[in-house]
Amino acid sequence: MLLGVLCILVVPRVFSEAPPAPPQDIQVDNWLLRWSPDPDDGDVTYTAQYSSFDSCVWTDVPYCVHISLNSCNVSSIKARSEYGCVMLRVQAERHGQNSPSVQACSKHGHLCTPDFSLTASPGSLTVHLSRNTTFLREHADHAKYRVYYGKKGEALQDYKDGPASVTIDELQEGQRYCTRVQYLYFKQTEGLPTCTQCELIPESDSRRTVTIVSLVLVGVLLLVFPVIAYFFLFQRERFKRWLQPRYTFREHLFEPIPEPFLPIHSSTEEHYDVITSMSPVELRE
Ligand SMILES: *[C@@H]1O[C@H](CO)[C@@H](O)[C@H](O)[C@H]1NC(C)=O
Ligand SMILES: *[C@@H]1O[C@H](CO)[C@@H](O)[C@H](O)[C@H]1NC(C)=O
């Protein structure tokens, strides 16, 4: 009986062990590959893989297989990258279960990775890209840039292609947008993408004024409303007393009006209608 309960509790745990979380923030900087491990995951090892130019085959990077560190020197593939761009990815492994692979990004521009800077203005973001780089010169008219963009925290799914600097319009002001750039050869992305850079889209002056005015109004309402509500709910009686007119009876109002000011009606000047018939009150109602 007890054994049965234990089996029910333990067996599914062993068989349904989830694969480890994939590594995060995988960056290459001067042939040193680094990533952030999941701090809650013990017993996890990492493997880095590379894929050469025009090949979909992923090969393990020598000395970077099943390591428990969170960085690896990948300079052993430097020679291979001289014949074309290489891509890099890392996956986590625990007890034979693999996490999905995550692609690395390049922290600095490289032969196969663009270098870019961002300028934000109200409603738009400009990605500054050079027209004169080794990659573009070597691939002549067939090479371009692909700029991925999206709101911070969302997947960068939208993109815009261009031979040089690209401006992305119609962005929401006051929001933070992120971009990532990769070279494009014919219709295929090439080499490592840049690491993501984010920028706050500033608000235009008129919009800022509207925002400030609305905030002030909301603030005033928030301050005034509880005061009114307090008086209405708890001080209603006192409020009524305050609102009652205070009569001050002055002596002279009750003095008799002197004779000469009394209106004098002369019956000759006034016209009266002659009542011809009268009906009882109940009938008129
Ligand atoms: C990576 O390894 C190469 C050759 O083994 C060495 O020259 C280089 O300094 C190493 N880089 C780092 C960052 O350790
Ligand atoms: C492009 O860059 C190369 C090397 O950086 C330089 O020699 C060349 O003059 C540049 N060409 C133009 C048109 O700016």
Side-chain angles (χ1 to χ4, degrees):
M1 173 68 187
L2 187 68
L3 197 70
V5 171
L6 272 179
C7 280
I8 288 165
L9 288 176
V10 174
V11 170
R13 278 180 157 228
V14 172
F15 286 103
S16 68
E17 189 183 21
Q24 303 288 317
D25 294 327
I26 307 172
Q27 304 191 344
V28 198
D29 189 5
N30 200 20
W31 301 105
L32 185 66
L33 187 62
R34 293 169 180 277
W35 54 90
S36 309
D38 185 341
D40 301 330
D41 257 348
D43 259 356
V44 174
T45 61
Y46 299 93
T47 298
Q49 294 181 314
Y50 72 96
S51 155
S52 313
F53 172 63
D54 70 18
S55 145
C56 297
V57 181
W58 290 90
T59 313
D60 290 348
V61 178
Y63 318 114
C64 301
V65 182
H66 292 311
I67 54 168
S68 47
L69 299 169
N70 62 337
S71 68
C72 191
N73 185 340
V74 295
S75 59
S76 59
I77 60 163
K78 201 171 176 176
R80 288 176 183 88
S81 73
E82 274 157 19
Y83 303 103
C85 298
V86 290
M87 313 277 259
L88 279 162
R89 68 181 196 183
V90 181
Q91 71 179 171
E93 190 255 16
R94 183 179 52 210
H95 306 146
Q97 298 252 46
N98 289 325
S99 76
S101 298
V102 182
Q103 242 198 57
C105 66
S106 179
K107 239 182 144 184
H108 297 289
H110 175 261
L111 232 54
C112 290
T113 301
D115 213 359
F116 75 106
S117 60
L118 293 175
T119 310
S121 42
S124 73
L125 188 61
T126 301
V127 184
H128 299 280
L129 294 158
S130 171
R131 196 181 275 276
N132 184 20
T133 67
T134 313
F135 189 90
L136 293 184
R137 277 198 308 274
E138 280 179 5
H139 297 87
D141 294 338
H142 305 302
K144 273 196 279 193
Y145 292 107
R146 173 158 290 181
V147 176
Y148 294 91
Y149 63 94
K151 273 187 201 166
K152 193 180 167 90
E154 293 176 3
L156 309 185
Q157 275 170 341
D158 295 326
Y159 60 81
K160 205 169 169 181
D161 297 340
S165 296
V166 164
T167 297
I168 305 152
D169 296 309
E170 291 175 27
L171 300 182
Q172 224 175 312
E173 294 177 6
Q175 285 280 340
R176 200 168 271 278
Y177 278 86
C178 299
T179 55
R180 185 175 66 220
V181 189
Q182 199 167 10
Y183 277 121
L184 200 62
Y185 181 53
F186 285 98
K187 286 183 167 13
Q188 199 67 43
T189 50
E190 280 278 326
L192 290 175
T194 64
C195 292
T196 305
Q197 278 186 41
C198 303
E199 201 68 55
L200 180 73
I201 306 300
E203 294 190 341
S204 54
D205 285 347
S206 59
R207 232 190 94 110
R208 195 179 307 146
T209 312
V210 169
T211 310
I212 290 171
V213 168
S214 341
L215 280 179
V216 167
L217 274 179
V218 167
V220 167
L221 280 178
L222 283 179
L223 277 178
V224 166
F225 188 73
V227 174
I228 292 174
Y230 169 75
F231 274 105
F232 190 75
L233 290 175
F234 301 110
Q235 304 288 338
R236 211 186 313 189
E237 288 310 311
R238 195 186 284 186
F239 210 53
K240 272 188 197 159
R241 257 183 277 133
W242 284 350
L243 287 179
Q244 267 165 14
R246 289 167 200 197
Y247 297 111
T248 49
F249 299 102
R250 294 202 192 98
E251 291 294 310
H252 69 265
L253 281 177
F254 295 96
E255 283 169 8
I257 303 168
E259 277 300 311
F261 295 105
L262 276 175
I264 299 160
H265 301 282
S266 87
S267 58
T268 51
E269 276 168 33
E270 295 195 53
H271 301 280
Y272 297 103
D273 288 327
V274 177
I275 295 168
T276 52
S277 72
M278 288 176 89
S279 53
V281 176
E282 297 88 67
L283 273 178
R284 271 187 270 141
E285 276 173 1

